Every structure is written in C-alpha cells, then in structure tokens.
Amino acid sequence: MPPTGPVPPRAALVMLAAGEGRRVGHDTNKVLLPLAGRRVFTWAVRWATTLPHVSHVVLVVRDGDQETVRSTLARELPDTEVVVVTGGSSRHESEWKALCALRPAIEAGETDVVVIHDAARPLASAALFRDIILAAEEYGGSLPVIDQPALTALHDGGDRVDTRTVAVQTPQAFRAGPLLDAYTAADAEGFVGTDTASCVERYTDVPVHCVTGDARNIKITFPEDLFLAERLLAKADYDLSAAPHVRAAWRRHKAGDAR
C-alpha cells in the first residue's frame, strides 16, 4: 500500500555557484575547490537531496565552468538530476535565470517552494534545509539567522538600543508562485535586488520568517575556511544528511507536532 502520512511541500533547489575564488587564494571558482575528497559545491546538493521532496535542482555556474561542473556532477552525484544554467553579471540575474528554468514546473503546480542557496556554504545540513522549506510553506518566506550578541546598536547620543542583531545565512526559501511573480516584475522594471528577500519584499506582501541558523553553516571565503569546513565535516562523521529523526519531522509537521 502507498504511504498515507502527510505530504511535505515539493521543493526546488537553486544552487548559486557563479562566484570567484580571489579571496580564498585561487583564480578558479571557489566552489570548485576540493573539500574532503569532493568539490565544495556538491556537498550541499548531497545533503538537500536526501530530503524526500526536493524534486528539482538547478545549479547556476559561471561561464567557462560548465564542462568542469558537468564532469564533477557525473562523478560525485551520478544519481542526482541537476539542470546546469549559466549565471548572469549579478546575483539577482543569476537567480532570475534559475527561476526561468523552473518556470514550467512552477506554473504547472509541480513546485511549492523554491530554496536558494549559496554553493560556497557546503555544510548546510538536511535539517536546516528541512526547517527552511517548512517555514516557507507556512509563512511564505524564510531565512536562517544567527544571533550576534557581541554587536550592539547605538543611538547618535551613545544610548544603547535594544534590538536583535543577526547574521543572515542561506539557504533561503519562498513559496514558488510569489517568488516567480516578484522576479518577473523586477525584470520588467529593471530592478536588481541585493538578495532574494529584497526582491520579494519590494514586489509582494509575503512575510519572511526567521529560522534558527547553524553555526556550522560557514561560507568558504578565505583559505582557512576550507580547513575549518573539513574539521567540521570530520566532527560530524561526514554526514549532514537526513537522518531518521529528520525524515520523521516531515511526517510530524502537518500533524501539528513541534518541529
């Protein structure tokens, strides 16, 4: 008999991998650097696609990297279908090109949520992807944040302001229809957002919900970040996938249990 539990939202993953590697000390794209036996960009794809309903993956790459990326995918993710798209001159344009590739699935009602992730964050776990997808389904949009208690906002007079200061991470997720509509409107007006949430905020009334991020979810920017990422992977026994308790959380979600 087919399974009868609640069905999690159908998600499409957009991986942004069109950057460079100058600050990390290489001329090559930093997401193509080796990390614990595989390229940086394939780690997060591996974790995300262990979730049961990540049904589409679009990888946005820099022009000139296509051959290397495709050969890497064939070697490291041979059982994962990935659409490779050439990126634009800005993050916003790269996201727009990915959404154009997903437009048929979104308009056909085959995709509920789109997750956008920076491929230079290889340690985004399956649990974090899960939390972001579920929050986007519930609220409309979601992003992970890490509190920055050492930072304090001040008035001009020097008085302390009681505000919450956070660092924003990826993955970020949004309901697919409003996200596509927002980027379609931005394209018509020539608007270029600083990130995905800024475009959604400008063209929709979709609320964006903050989800607790993961301190391990570091971004590869400098040479020492690669060493730290490898140590964190080793500490996790090289497994940030959807463990049984993560998969069970999907089933509890619509039943109303706490996530």
Side-chain angles (χ1 to χ4, degrees):
M1 295 177 61
T4 59
V7 179
R10 297 162 298 177
L13 171 65
V14 172
M15 293 285 293
L16 300 176
E20 298 181 346
R22 294 175 184 175
R23 284 188 290 176
V24 84
H26 293 267
D27 293 329
T28 188
N29 188 335
K30 61 187 175 184
V31 303
L32 298 179
L33 296 174
L35 171 62
R38 57 195 300 147
R39 307 280 181 141
V40 167
F41 79 91
T42 65
W43 282 106
V45 177
R46 179 184 180 185
W47 310 137
T49 53
T50 61
L51 295 174
H53 283 261
V54 175
S55 55
H56 296 78
V57 180
V58 176
L59 179 66
V60 185
V61 304
R62 188 175 61 176
D63 191 23
D65 289 342
Q66 295 94 330
E67 184 177 347
T68 300
V69 164
R70 288 193 175 96
S71 64
T72 300
L73 289 170
R75 181 176 64 254
E76 298 181 11
L77 296 170
D79 300 322
T80 303
E81 184 177 349
V82 179
V83 174
V84 178
V85 173
T86 302
S89 59
S90 67
R91 182 186 185 92
H92 179 96
E93 186 179 353
S94 292
E95 292 174 352
W96 171 234
K97 289 190 173 189
L99 287 169
C100 287
L102 287 170
R103 181 185 292 274
I106 294 173
E107 292 182 341
E110 298 171 359
T111 298
D112 302 312
V113 171
V114 174
V115 187
I116 298 180
H117 184 53
D118 188 339
R121 291 185 182 270
L123 274 61
S125 67
L128 181 58
F129 280 108
R130 176 209 67 202
D131 291 346
I132 288 294
I133 291 169
L134 294 179
E137 181 200 29
E138 181 174 353
Y139 298 100
S142 63
L143 50 82
V145 299
I146 294 288
D147 282 305
Q148 301 290 291
L151 300 178
T152 303
L154 300 176
H155 283 305
D156 290 341
D159 296 332
R160 177 171 175 168
V161 182
D162 290 328
T163 58
R164 182 186 181 193
T165 306
V166 298
V168 178
Q169 302 178 332
T170 66
Q172 300 177 10
F174 304 87
R175 289 180 189 155
L179 180 64
L180 179 60
D181 291 344
Y183 273 76
T184 301
D187 182 62
E189 291 188 4
F191 172 77
V192 177
T194 54
D195 63 5
T196 321
S198 67
C199 187
V200 170
E201 181 180 16
R202 181 180 176 95
Y203 291 103
T204 77
D205 58 0
V206 170
V208 178
H209 180 73
C210 292
V211 171
T212 301
D214 186 340
R216 297 175 303 183
N217 184 23
I218 63 171
K219 186 174 183 179
I220 304 300
T221 303
F222 301 104
E224 56 267 28
D225 295 331
L226 285 167
F227 295 104
L228 176 58
E230 183 152 8
R231 289 183 64 184
L232 290 170
L233 275 169
K235 190 172 182 179
D237 200 23
Y238 301 95
D239 188 1
L240 298 173
S241 63
H245 72 280
V246 176
R247 291 191 290 269
W250 287 102
R251 295 191 293 271
R252 294 197 303 267
H253 169 58
K254 288 189 180 297
D257 292 345
R259 292 194 293 271

